[in-house]
Amino acid sequence: MTYCLAINLEAGIVFASDFRTNAGVDQVSTYSKMHGFCVPQRRVLLLLTAGNLATTQAVVNSVRRDIGDPAATTSLNTVEYMFDAARYIGKISRQVQARHTDQNNESGPSLEATFILGGQLRNQPQEIYLIYPEGNYITASPAKPYLQIGETKYGKPILDRMVSPGTSLEDAARCALVSLDSTSRSNVSVGPPFELSLYDKDQLELNRHLVLTEDSPFYISLRDKWVEAVKHGFEELPRFSWEDGSDTLV
Amino acid sequence: MTYCLAINLEAGIVFASDFRTNAGVDQVSTYSKMHGFCVPQRRVLLLLTAGNLATTQAVVNSVRRDIGDPAATTSLNTVEYMFDAARYIGKISRQVQARHTDQNNESGPSLEATFILGGQLRNQPQEIYLIYPEGNYITASPAKPYLQIGETKYGKPILDRMVSPGTSLEDAARCALVSLDSTSRSNVSVGPPFELSLYDKDQLELNRHLVLTEDSPFYISLRDKWVEAVKHGFEELPRFSWEDGSDTLV
């Protein structure tokens, strides 16, 4: 399984993902699911991947090949709008899935893959897109400025409570890490290392990228302080009437 | 949708559930999903229900009918062990589903239902069981002393972080309410009122039962203080190296 998310803020975009992949409990491995495609001062694009690993690797390889191929009709270096980039990823994903689904006669494991594409092209607004296995795509909204793929539910409440468009990049990044940590505690198929990229709006380059392993002092500190904060928070919650002798609340 | 949970503690059992049911967005209604079957000083049994409302209502009606019927071969008043009670609920659930599945030729909406049954029979340990639509059942373990049914994922991380067998009934009850509140924020099909029952081990009676509406001062206080605690917790999380000028952590 996998858990990736992107948060679209006034200050920029936060991208976060875990490294764990599994095809059955005896085939657990670690792969980066965050792929950057960047031409400094012109365009920054980050792709997060979830789903069938063969499909996502083939898509990323095709994207890289097209960028290096002057004869390619479309590539992430030639698209003029973010939604064109999303459509291009969706089209490649469908082609890869179709290629192998034909051979398998639609039997066997799911070849589906889901992507988040985010970033900015020069003179255009930054955007994030979620690209479905069918190749179609949606963007985020100010009311819910994040997108998630993979094992999304465990880590959603903390985003719903904490993230709004005005949140700082760093606070949103901490929130993304807590969201990843909560997910990894509740589902063993999601786990560290965690990868994090912060994009500053209009900078058109990516220079804050972290990989946090299980032993990373920053991750250990964040995890411990969060547990402490949650425990402390519980102590502050109201007492039931029979605990403190009052019966005003109920 | 629905979210119910039971937590099996050294001090007793906490039961919690929401009231919301929906069959499509234009058929949202409120029903209690917590059903008590109690013979003071002899046995206390609580049943939480999720899934098809017609199935769960028919099961609860059958359970009540059998209790009142001296000719019934089995009822919750005659079972000798908690696992017999779980098997009995599972059997009725399968019968109800089969009755209506035949008429429908297996087409139409799912008639499946899932239950949590918890409580204590005199001179026996307290236990909680999760009863699957197939009629089979599992109990909780000390390592994970809770069971959930319905929309379970959003509210799981807080249980994993906070609940262990030694947790007090009241702290576990507060945790159950935070778990319900987190779920209702992330999924509109789960919502208040929330229902809560606390069973004190070996008491063989139920006398702490609360229904918390959206306007209940206790619920409002708990919700607000939790948001405050989470926000405060975020302020305590470690800064990234570029925020405080250090680069010791990463």
PDB file of all heavy atoms in Angstrom, chain A residues 151 153-154 156 160-161 170 174 181-182 186 208 216 238 242-243, chain B residues 151 153-154 156 160-161 170 174 181-182 186 208 225 238 242-243 250:
ATOM      1  N   GLU A 151      -3.765   4.840   0.768  1.00  0.00           N
ATOM      2  CA  GLU A 151      -4.482   4.552   2.019  1.00  0.00           C
ATOM      3  C   GLU A 151      -4.815   5.876   2.697  1.00  0.00           C
ATOM      4  O   GLU A 151      -4.086   6.353   3.572  1.00  0.00           O
ATOM      5  CB  GLU A 151      -3.581   3.669   2.891  1.00  0.00           C
ATOM      6  CG  GLU A 151      -4.179   3.242   4.206  1.00  0.00           C
ATOM      7  CD  GLU A 151      -5.449   2.444   4.041  1.00  0.00           C
ATOM      8  OE1 GLU A 151      -5.380   1.265   3.717  1.00  0.00           O
ATOM      9  OE2 GLU A 151      -6.542   3.024   4.224  1.00  0.00           O
ATOM     10  N   LYS A 153      -7.689   7.235   4.424  1.00  0.00           N
ATOM     11  CA  LYS A 153      -8.647   7.596   5.482  1.00  0.00           C
ATOM     12  C   LYS A 153      -8.028   7.864   6.847  1.00  0.00           C
ATOM     13  O   LYS A 153      -8.432   8.796   7.541  1.00  0.00           O
ATOM     14  CB  LYS A 153      -9.719   6.508   5.607  1.00  0.00           C
ATOM     15  CG  LYS A 153     -10.677   6.481   4.420  1.00  0.00           C
ATOM     16  CD  LYS A 153     -11.846   5.560   4.682  1.00  0.00           C
ATOM     17  CE  LYS A 153     -12.841   5.594   3.534  1.00  0.00           C
ATOM     18  NZ  LYS A 153     -14.024   4.755   3.831  1.00  0.00           N
ATOM     19  N   TYR A 154      -7.053   7.032   7.253  1.00  0.00           N
ATOM     20  CA  TYR A 154      -6.506   7.195   8.611  1.00  0.00           C
ATOM     21  C   TYR A 154      -5.927   8.590   8.816  1.00  0.00           C
ATOM     22  O   TYR A 154      -6.016   9.159   9.900  1.00  0.00           O
ATOM     23  CB  TYR A 154      -5.416   6.157   8.873  1.00  0.00           C
ATOM     24  CG  TYR A 154      -5.871   4.731   8.756  1.00  0.00           C
ATOM     25  CD1 TYR A 154      -5.379   3.894   7.763  1.00  0.00           C
ATOM     26  CD2 TYR A 154      -6.809   4.218   9.641  1.00  0.00           C
ATOM     27  CE1 TYR A 154      -5.800   2.577   7.657  1.00  0.00           C
ATOM     28  CE2 TYR A 154      -7.240   2.904   9.547  1.00  0.00           C
ATOM     29  CZ  TYR A 154      -6.726   2.085   8.548  1.00  0.00           C
ATOM     30  OH  TYR A 154      -7.142   0.794   8.441  1.00  0.00           O
ATOM     31  N   LYS A 156      -6.732  11.427   7.293  1.00  0.00           N
ATOM     32  CA  LYS A 156      -7.563  12.546   6.845  1.00  0.00           C
ATOM     33  C   LYS A 156      -8.033  13.464   7.985  1.00  0.00           C
ATOM     34  O   LYS A 156      -8.020  14.695   7.816  1.00  0.00           O
ATOM     35  CB  LYS A 156      -8.757  12.016   6.051  1.00  0.00           C
ATOM     36  CG  LYS A 156      -9.623  13.083   5.420  1.00  0.00           C
ATOM     37  CD  LYS A 156     -10.613  12.483   4.430  1.00  0.00           C
ATOM     38  CE  LYS A 156     -11.448  13.547   3.740  1.00  0.00           C
ATOM     39  NZ  LYS A 156     -12.471  14.162   4.601  1.00  0.00           N
ATOM     40  N   ASP A 160      -8.198  17.610   7.983  1.00  0.00           N
ATOM     41  CA  ASP A 160      -9.459  18.350   8.057  1.00  0.00           C
ATOM     42  C   ASP A 160      -9.469  19.333   9.216  1.00  0.00           C
ATOM     43  O   ASP A 160     -10.076  20.397   9.145  1.00  0.00           O
ATOM     44  CB  ASP A 160     -10.640  17.376   8.204  1.00  0.00           C
ATOM     45  CG  ASP A 160     -10.908  16.625   6.907  1.00  0.00           C
ATOM     46  OD1 ASP A 160     -10.606  17.175   5.833  1.00  0.00           O
ATOM     47  OD2 ASP A 160     -11.424  15.494   6.962  1.00  0.00           O
ATOM     48  N   ARG A 161      -8.799  18.967  10.297  1.00  0.00           N
ATOM     49  CA  ARG A 161      -8.787  19.850  11.469  1.00  0.00           C
ATOM     50  C   ARG A 161      -7.801  21.003  11.313  1.00  0.00           C
ATOM     51  O   ARG A 161      -8.010  22.082  11.837  1.00  0.00           O
ATOM     52  CB  ARG A 161      -8.405  19.070  12.735  1.00  0.00           C
ATOM     53  CG  ARG A 161      -9.494  18.136  13.231  1.00  0.00           C
ATOM     54  CD  ARG A 161      -9.147  17.619  14.621  1.00  0.00           C
ATOM     55  NE  ARG A 161      -9.945  16.475  15.014  1.00  0.00           N
ATOM     56  CZ  ARG A 161     -11.155  16.563  15.551  1.00  0.00           C
ATOM     57  NH1 ARG A 161     -11.705  17.741  15.746  1.00  0.00           N
ATOM     58  NH2 ARG A 161     -11.819  15.471  15.880  1.00  0.00           N
ATOM     59  N   GLU A 170       5.502  25.268   6.335  1.00  0.00           N
ATOM     60  CA  GLU A 170       6.133  24.428   7.351  1.00  0.00           C
ATOM     61  C   GLU A 170       5.082  23.757   8.238  1.00  0.00           C
ATOM     62  O   GLU A 170       5.207  22.585   8.568  1.00  0.00           O
ATOM     63  CB  GLU A 170       7.113  25.244   8.205  1.00  0.00           C
ATOM     64  CG  GLU A 170       8.418  25.565   7.497  1.00  0.00           C
ATOM     65  CD  GLU A 170       8.309  26.730   6.514  1.00  0.00           C
ATOM     66  OE1 GLU A 170       7.247  27.401   6.499  1.00  0.00           O
ATOM     67  OE2 GLU A 170       9.269  26.968   5.766  1.00  0.00           O
ATOM     68  N   ARG A 174       4.460  19.755   8.630  1.00  0.00           N
ATOM     69  CA  ARG A 174       4.380  19.010   9.892  1.00  0.00           C
ATOM     70  C   ARG A 174       3.072  18.231   9.958  1.00  0.00           C
ATOM     71  O   ARG A 174       3.035  17.080  10.407  1.00  0.00           O
ATOM     72  CB  ARG A 174       4.500  19.965  11.087  1.00  0.00           C
ATOM     73  CG  ARG A 174       5.940  20.337  11.412  1.00  0.00           C
ATOM     74  CD  ARG A 174       6.031  21.228  12.647  1.00  0.00           C
ATOM     75  NE  ARG A 174       5.777  22.626  12.317  1.00  0.00           N
ATOM     76  CZ  ARG A 174       6.720  23.497  11.964  1.00  0.00           C
ATOM     77  NH1 ARG A 174       7.982  23.129  11.934  1.00  0.00           N
ATOM     78  NH2 ARG A 174       6.407  24.736  11.658  1.00  0.00           N
ATOM     79  N   ASP A 181       2.392   9.600   9.789  1.00  0.00           N
ATOM     80  CA  ASP A 181       2.722   8.811  10.975  1.00  0.00           C
ATOM     81  C   ASP A 181       1.480   8.110  11.525  1.00  0.00           C
ATOM     82  O   ASP A 181       1.528   6.930  11.879  1.00  0.00           O
ATOM     83  CB  ASP A 181       3.344   9.730  12.042  1.00  0.00           C
ATOM     84  CG  ASP A 181       3.742   8.964  13.285  1.00  0.00           C
ATOM     85  OD1 ASP A 181       4.470   7.963  13.151  1.00  0.00           O
ATOM     86  OD2 ASP A 181       3.327   9.352  14.391  1.00  0.00           O
ATOM     87  N   SER A 182       0.342   8.821  11.578  1.00  0.00           N
ATOM     88  CA  SER A 182      -0.907   8.208  12.049  1.00  0.00           C
ATOM     89  C   SER A 182      -1.283   7.035  11.161  1.00  0.00           C
ATOM     90  O   SER A 182      -1.729   5.993  11.642  1.00  0.00           O
ATOM     91  CB  SER A 182      -2.052   9.225  12.016  1.00  0.00           C
ATOM     92  OG  SER A 182      -1.795  10.297  12.875  1.00  0.00           O
ATOM     93  N   SER A 186      -1.614   2.845  12.047  1.00  0.00           N
ATOM     94  CA  SER A 186      -2.874   2.107  11.929  1.00  0.00           C
ATOM     95  C   SER A 186      -2.854   1.099  10.789  1.00  0.00           C
ATOM     96  O   SER A 186      -3.751   0.267  10.685  1.00  0.00           O
ATOM     97  CB  SER A 186      -4.041   3.081  11.742  1.00  0.00           C
ATOM     98  OG  SER A 186      -4.332   3.736  12.955  1.00  0.00           O
ATOM     99  N   ARG A 208      13.719  22.421  -1.201  1.00  0.00           N
ATOM    100  CA  ARG A 208      13.564  21.902   0.153  1.00  0.00           C
ATOM    101  C   ARG A 208      12.944  20.517   0.070  1.00  0.00           C
ATOM    102  O   ARG A 208      11.730  20.373  -0.098  1.00  0.00           O
ATOM    103  CB  ARG A 208      12.738  22.860   0.985  1.00  0.00           C
ATOM    104  CG  ARG A 208      13.617  24.068   1.344  1.00  0.00           C
ATOM    105  CD  ARG A 208      12.967  24.947   2.354  1.00  0.00           C
ATOM    106  NE  ARG A 208      11.986  25.807   1.698  1.00  0.00           N
ATOM    107  CZ  ARG A 208      11.041  26.446   2.348  1.00  0.00           C
ATOM    108  NH1 ARG A 208      10.921  26.319   3.651  1.00  0.00           N
ATOM    109  NH2 ARG A 208      10.190  27.217   1.692  1.00  0.00           N
ATOM    110  N   SER A 216      15.587   9.038  11.922  1.00  0.00           N
ATOM    111  CA  SER A 216      15.902  10.459  11.778  1.00  0.00           C
ATOM    112  C   SER A 216      15.524  11.209  13.052  1.00  0.00           C
ATOM    113  O   SER A 216      14.394  11.097  13.549  1.00  0.00           O
ATOM    114  CB  SER A 216      15.124  11.007  10.575  1.00  0.00           C
ATOM    115  OG  SER A 216      14.464  12.197  10.901  1.00  0.00           O
ATOM    116  N   PRO A 238     -13.027  17.709  29.012  1.00  0.00           N
ATOM    117  CA  PRO A 238     -13.942  17.851  30.156  1.00  0.00           C
ATOM    118  C   PRO A 238     -14.174  16.521  30.877  1.00  0.00           C
ATOM    119  O   PRO A 238     -14.162  15.461  30.256  1.00  0.00           O
ATOM    120  CB  PRO A 238     -15.235  18.366  29.509  1.00  0.00           C
ATOM    121  CG  PRO A 238     -15.144  17.992  28.073  1.00  0.00           C
ATOM    122  CD  PRO A 238     -13.687  18.032  27.738  1.00  0.00           C
ATOM    123  N   TRP A 242     -20.034  12.547  36.846  1.00  0.00           N
ATOM    124  CA  TRP A 242     -19.773  11.717  38.020  1.00  0.00           C
ATOM    125  C   TRP A 242     -18.300  11.736  38.439  1.00  0.00           C
ATOM    126  O   TRP A 242     -17.968  11.281  39.525  1.00  0.00           O
ATOM    127  CB  TRP A 242     -20.223  10.281  37.778  1.00  0.00           C
ATOM    128  CG  TRP A 242     -19.503   9.598  36.667  1.00  0.00           C
ATOM    129  CD1 TRP A 242     -18.292   8.962  36.736  1.00  0.00           C
ATOM    130  CD2 TRP A 242     -19.919   9.473  35.320  1.00  0.00           C
ATOM    131  NE1 TRP A 242     -17.936   8.468  35.516  1.00  0.00           N
ATOM    132  CE2 TRP A 242     -18.929   8.762  34.627  1.00  0.00           C
ATOM    133  CE3 TRP A 242     -21.051   9.896  34.598  1.00  0.00           C
ATOM    134  CZ2 TRP A 242     -19.022   8.464  33.260  1.00  0.00           C
ATOM    135  CZ3 TRP A 242     -21.151   9.596  33.255  1.00  0.00           C
ATOM    136  CH2 TRP A 242     -20.155   8.897  32.601  1.00  0.00           C
ATOM    137  N   GLU A 243     -17.442  12.289  37.575  1.00  0.00           N
ATOM    138  CA  GLU A 243     -16.021  12.332  37.942  1.00  0.00           C
ATOM    139  C   GLU A 243     -15.706  13.492  38.861  1.00  0.00           C
ATOM    140  O   GLU A 243     -14.886  13.383  39.762  1.00  0.00           O
ATOM    141  CB  GLU A 243     -15.145  12.455  36.686  1.00  0.00           C
ATOM    142  CG  GLU A 243     -15.048  11.174  35.872  1.00  0.00           C
ATOM    143  CD  GLU A 243     -14.174  11.405  34.645  1.00  0.00           C
ATOM    144  OE1 GLU A 243     -14.650  12.031  33.679  1.00  0.00           O
ATOM    145  OE2 GLU A 243     -13.025  10.974  34.670  1.00  0.00           O
TER     146      GLU A 243
ATOM    147  N   GLU B 151     -17.892   2.753   9.491  1.00  0.00           N
ATOM    148  CA  GLU B 151     -16.853   3.614   8.896  1.00  0.00           C
ATOM    149  C   GLU B 151     -15.705   3.719   9.892  1.00  0.00           C
ATOM    150  O   GLU B 151     -15.616   4.659  10.678  1.00  0.00           O
ATOM    151  CB  GLU B 151     -17.477   4.973   8.597  1.00  0.00           C
ATOM    152  CG  GLU B 151     -16.568   5.965   7.932  1.00  0.00           C
ATOM    153  CD  GLU B 151     -16.034   5.482   6.615  1.00  0.00           C
ATOM    154  OE1 GLU B 151     -16.754   5.521   5.627  1.00  0.00           O
ATOM    155  OE2 GLU B 151     -14.866   5.016   6.567  1.00  0.00           O
ATOM    156  N   LYS B 153     -12.090   3.654   9.664  1.00  0.00           N
ATOM    157  CA  LYS B 153     -10.691   4.061   9.509  1.00  0.00           C
ATOM    158  C   LYS B 153     -10.353   5.437  10.067  1.00  0.00           C
ATOM    159  O   LYS B 153      -9.307   5.631  10.682  1.00  0.00           O
ATOM    160  CB  LYS B 153     -10.276   4.003   8.037  1.00  0.00           C
ATOM    161  CG  LYS B 153     -10.164   2.569   7.516  1.00  0.00           C
ATOM    162  CD  LYS B 153      -9.534   2.529   6.141  1.00  0.00           C
ATOM    163  CE  LYS B 153      -9.329   1.093   5.669  1.00  0.00           C
ATOM    164  NZ  LYS B 153      -8.639   1.053   4.370  1.00  0.00           N
ATOM    165  N   TYR B 154     -11.252   6.424   9.847  1.00  0.00           N
ATOM    166  CA  TYR B 154     -10.913   7.791  10.270  1.00  0.00           C
ATOM    167  C   TYR B 154     -10.652   7.860  11.778  1.00  0.00           C
ATOM    168  O   TYR B 154      -9.795   8.605  12.232  1.00  0.00           O
ATOM    169  CB  TYR B 154     -12.050   8.759   9.919  1.00  0.00           C
ATOM    170  CG  TYR B 154     -12.368   8.825   8.451  1.00  0.00           C
ATOM    171  CD1 TYR B 154     -13.595   8.390   7.957  1.00  0.00           C
ATOM    172  CD2 TYR B 154     -11.442   9.331   7.548  1.00  0.00           C
ATOM    173  CE1 TYR B 154     -13.894   8.451   6.607  1.00  0.00           C
ATOM    174  CE2 TYR B 154     -11.726   9.400   6.195  1.00  0.00           C
ATOM    175  CZ  TYR B 154     -12.958   8.955   5.728  1.00  0.00           C
ATOM    176  OH  TYR B 154     -13.242   9.011   4.393  1.00  0.00           O
ATOM    177  N   LYS B 156      -9.596   5.468  13.802  1.00  0.00           N
ATOM    178  CA  LYS B 156      -8.714   4.436  14.361  1.00  0.00           C
ATOM    179  C   LYS B 156      -7.392   4.989  14.932  1.00  0.00           C
ATOM    180  O   LYS B 156      -6.956   4.538  15.998  1.00  0.00           O
ATOM    181  CB  LYS B 156      -8.437   3.368  13.285  1.00  0.00           C
ATOM    182  CG  LYS B 156      -7.636   2.162  13.780  1.00  0.00           C
ATOM    183  CD  LYS B 156      -7.643   1.053  12.740  1.00  0.00           C
ATOM    184  CE  LYS B 156      -6.916  -0.194  13.205  1.00  0.00           C
ATOM    185  NZ  LYS B 156      -5.462  -0.040  13.317  1.00  0.00           N
ATOM    186  N   ASP B 160      -5.514   3.848  18.457  1.00  0.00           N
ATOM    187  CA  ASP B 160      -4.207   3.179  18.471  1.00  0.00           C
ATOM    188  C   ASP B 160      -3.207   3.934  19.337  1.00  0.00           C
ATOM    189  O   ASP B 160      -2.332   3.343  19.955  1.00  0.00           O
ATOM    190  CB  ASP B 160      -3.652   3.050  17.043  1.00  0.00           C
ATOM    191  CG  ASP B 160      -4.415   2.003  16.239  1.00  0.00           C
ATOM    192  OD1 ASP B 160      -4.953   1.065  16.856  1.00  0.00           O
ATOM    193  OD2 ASP B 160      -4.463   2.120  15.001  1.00  0.00           O
ATOM    194  N   ARG B 161      -3.328   5.254  19.370  1.00  0.00           N
ATOM    195  CA  ARG B 161      -2.377   6.049  20.154  1.00  0.00           C
ATOM    196  C   ARG B 161      -2.717   6.043  21.639  1.00  0.00           C
ATOM    197  O   ARG B 161      -1.835   6.153  22.484  1.00  0.00           O
ATOM    198  CB  ARG B 161      -2.375   7.509  19.672  1.00  0.00           C
ATOM    199  CG  ARG B 161      -1.688   7.717  18.336  1.00  0.00           C
ATOM    200  CD  ARG B 161      -1.498   9.213  18.088  1.00  0.00           C
ATOM    201  NE  ARG B 161      -1.175   9.487  16.697  1.00  0.00           N
ATOM    202  CZ  ARG B 161       0.054   9.420  16.191  1.00  0.00           C
ATOM    203  NH1 ARG B 161       1.065   9.073  16.949  1.00  0.00           N
ATOM    204  NH2 ARG B 161       0.253   9.692  14.911  1.00  0.00           N
ATOM    205  N   GLU B 170     -13.403   6.267  31.887  1.00  0.00           N
ATOM    206  CA  GLU B 170     -13.734   7.637  31.476  1.00  0.00           C
ATOM    207  C   GLU B 170     -12.784   8.133  30.387  1.00  0.00           C
ATOM    208  O   GLU B 170     -13.215   8.775  29.431  1.00  0.00           O
ATOM    209  CB  GLU B 170     -13.696   8.583  32.687  1.00  0.00           C
ATOM    210  CG  GLU B 170     -14.891   8.450  33.619  1.00  0.00           C
ATOM    211  CD  GLU B 170     -14.794   7.234  34.547  1.00  0.00           C
ATOM    212  OE1 GLU B 170     -13.709   6.600  34.596  1.00  0.00           O
ATOM    213  OE2 GLU B 170     -15.786   6.914  35.218  1.00  0.00           O
ATOM    214  N   ARG B 174     -13.838   9.233  26.621  1.00  0.00           N
ATOM    215  CA  ARG B 174     -13.468  10.491  25.948  1.00  0.00           C
ATOM    216  C   ARG B 174     -12.777  10.198  24.615  1.00  0.00           C
ATOM    217  O   ARG B 174     -13.014  10.857  23.607  1.00  0.00           O
ATOM    218  CB  ARG B 174     -12.558  11.328  26.854  1.00  0.00           C
ATOM    219  CG  ARG B 174     -13.311  12.120  27.906  1.00  0.00           C
ATOM    220  CD  ARG B 174     -12.381  13.014  28.733  1.00  0.00           C
ATOM    221  NE  ARG B 174     -11.766  12.264  29.816  1.00  0.00           N
ATOM    222  CZ  ARG B 174     -12.281  12.142  31.042  1.00  0.00           C
ATOM    223  NH1 ARG B 174     -13.404  12.742  31.332  1.00  0.00           N
ATOM    224  NH2 ARG B 174     -11.666  11.432  31.965  1.00  0.00           N
ATOM    225  N   ASP B 181     -16.025  11.980  16.788  1.00  0.00           N
ATOM    226  CA  ASP B 181     -16.018  13.352  16.289  1.00  0.00           C
ATOM    227  C   ASP B 181     -15.111  13.485  15.067  1.00  0.00           C
ATOM    228  O   ASP B 181     -15.481  14.116  14.063  1.00  0.00           O
ATOM    229  CB  ASP B 181     -15.566  14.295  17.401  1.00  0.00           C
ATOM    230  CG  ASP B 181     -15.580  15.745  16.957  1.00  0.00           C
ATOM    231  OD1 ASP B 181     -16.623  16.193  16.455  1.00  0.00           O
ATOM    232  OD2 ASP B 181     -14.542  16.421  17.089  1.00  0.00           O
ATOM    233  N   SER B 182     -13.919  12.849  15.122  1.00  0.00           N
ATOM    234  CA  SER B 182     -13.002  12.886  13.972  1.00  0.00           C
ATOM    235  C   SER B 182     -13.663  12.259  12.750  1.00  0.00           C
ATOM    236  O   SER B 182     -13.527  12.753  11.633  1.00  0.00           O
ATOM    237  CB  SER B 182     -11.725  12.100  14.282  1.00  0.00           C
ATOM    238  OG  SER B 182     -11.017  12.684  15.341  1.00  0.00           O
ATOM    239  N   SER B 186     -14.776  13.972   8.960  1.00  0.00           N
ATOM    240  CA  SER B 186     -14.199  13.522   7.694  1.00  0.00           C
ATOM    241  C   SER B 186     -15.207  12.800   6.813  1.00  0.00           C
ATOM    242  O   SER B 186     -14.940  12.540   5.650  1.00  0.00           O
ATOM    243  CB  SER B 186     -12.997  12.607   7.956  1.00  0.00           C
ATOM    244  OG  SER B 186     -11.880  13.379   8.373  1.00  0.00           O
ATOM    245  N   ARG B 208     -24.594   3.916  33.441  1.00  0.00           N
ATOM    246  CA  ARG B 208     -24.026   5.157  32.922  1.00  0.00           C
ATOM    247  C   ARG B 208     -24.186   5.193  31.419  1.00  0.00           C
ATOM    248  O   ARG B 208     -23.412   4.580  30.678  1.00  0.00           O
ATOM    249  CB  ARG B 208     -22.575   5.292  33.351  1.00  0.00           C
ATOM    250  CG  ARG B 208     -22.545   5.653  34.838  1.00  0.00           C
ATOM    251  CD  ARG B 208     -21.189   6.045  35.291  1.00  0.00           C
ATOM    252  NE  ARG B 208     -20.393   4.861  35.537  1.00  0.00           N
ATOM    253  CZ  ARG B 208     -19.075   4.871  35.646  1.00  0.00           C
ATOM    254  NH1 ARG B 208     -18.423   5.985  35.511  1.00  0.00           N
ATOM    255  NH2 ARG B 208     -18.430   3.758  35.874  1.00  0.00           N
ATOM    256  N   LYS B 225     -12.216  21.792  23.087  1.00  0.00           N
ATOM    257  CA  LYS B 225     -10.952  21.592  23.801  1.00  0.00           C
ATOM    258  C   LYS B 225     -10.017  20.680  23.013  1.00  0.00           C
ATOM    259  O   LYS B 225      -8.804  20.817  23.066  1.00  0.00           O
ATOM    260  CB  LYS B 225     -11.197  21.036  25.199  1.00  0.00           C
ATOM    261  CG  LYS B 225     -11.595  22.125  26.185  1.00  0.00           C
ATOM    262  CD  LYS B 225     -11.845  21.564  27.563  1.00  0.00           C
ATOM    263  CE  LYS B 225     -12.443  22.589  28.487  1.00  0.00           C
ATOM    264  NZ  LYS B 225     -11.494  23.647  28.890  1.00  0.00           N
ATOM    265  N   PRO B 238       8.647  19.988  16.390  1.00  0.00           N
ATOM    266  CA  PRO B 238       9.969  20.548  16.074  1.00  0.00           C
ATOM    267  C   PRO B 238       9.941  21.418  14.812  1.00  0.00           C
ATOM    268  O   PRO B 238       9.172  21.170  13.894  1.00  0.00           O
ATOM    269  CB  PRO B 238      10.836  19.306  15.863  1.00  0.00           C
ATOM    270  CG  PRO B 238       9.894  18.192  15.559  1.00  0.00           C
ATOM    271  CD  PRO B 238       8.645  18.511  16.325  1.00  0.00           C
ATOM    272  N   TRP B 242      15.666  25.089   8.558  1.00  0.00           N
ATOM    273  CA  TRP B 242      15.708  26.438   7.976  1.00  0.00           C
ATOM    274  C   TRP B 242      14.831  27.427   8.740  1.00  0.00           C
ATOM    275  O   TRP B 242      14.945  28.630   8.532  1.00  0.00           O
ATOM    276  CB  TRP B 242      15.308  26.404   6.494  1.00  0.00           C
ATOM    277  CG  TRP B 242      13.908  25.930   6.258  1.00  0.00           C
ATOM    278  CD1 TRP B 242      12.759  26.666   6.333  1.00  0.00           C
ATOM    279  CD2 TRP B 242      13.506  24.603   5.912  1.00  0.00           C
ATOM    280  NE1 TRP B 242      11.675  25.882   6.055  1.00  0.00           N
ATOM    281  CE2 TRP B 242      12.104  24.611   5.787  1.00  0.00           C
ATOM    282  CE3 TRP B 242      14.192  23.408   5.683  1.00  0.00           C
ATOM    283  CZ2 TRP B 242      11.362  23.477   5.462  1.00  0.00           C
ATOM    284  CZ3 TRP B 242      13.462  22.275   5.346  1.00  0.00           C
ATOM    285  CH2 TRP B 242      12.071  22.318   5.247  1.00  0.00           C
ATOM    286  N   GLU B 243      13.972  26.912   9.622  1.00  0.00           N
ATOM    287  CA  GLU B 243      13.098  27.823  10.367  1.00  0.00           C
ATOM    288  C   GLU B 243      13.815  28.451  11.545  1.00  0.00           C
ATOM    289  O   GLU B 243      13.604  29.608  11.876  1.00  0.00           O
ATOM    290  CB  GLU B 243      11.863  27.080  10.900  1.00  0.00           C
ATOM    291  CG  GLU B 243      10.855  26.744   9.842  1.00  0.00           C
ATOM    292  CD  GLU B 243       9.683  25.994  10.452  1.00  0.00           C
ATOM    293  OE1 GLU B 243       9.819  24.784  10.737  1.00  0.00           O
ATOM    294  OE2 GLU B 243       8.622  26.622  10.645  1.00  0.00           O
ATOM    295  N   VAL B 250      17.495  16.432  10.993  1.00  0.00           N
ATOM    296  CA  VAL B 250      16.959  16.050   9.675  1.00  0.00           C
ATOM    297  C   VAL B 250      17.086  14.569   9.530  1.00  0.00           C
ATOM    298  O   VAL B 250      16.960  13.780  10.368  1.00  0.00           O
ATOM    299  CB  VAL B 250      17.643  16.697   8.472  1.00  0.00           C
ATOM    300  CG1 VAL B 250      17.252  15.939   7.187  1.00  0.00           C
ATOM    301  CG2 VAL B 250      17.148  18.119   8.271  1.00  0.00           C
TER     302      VAL B 250
END
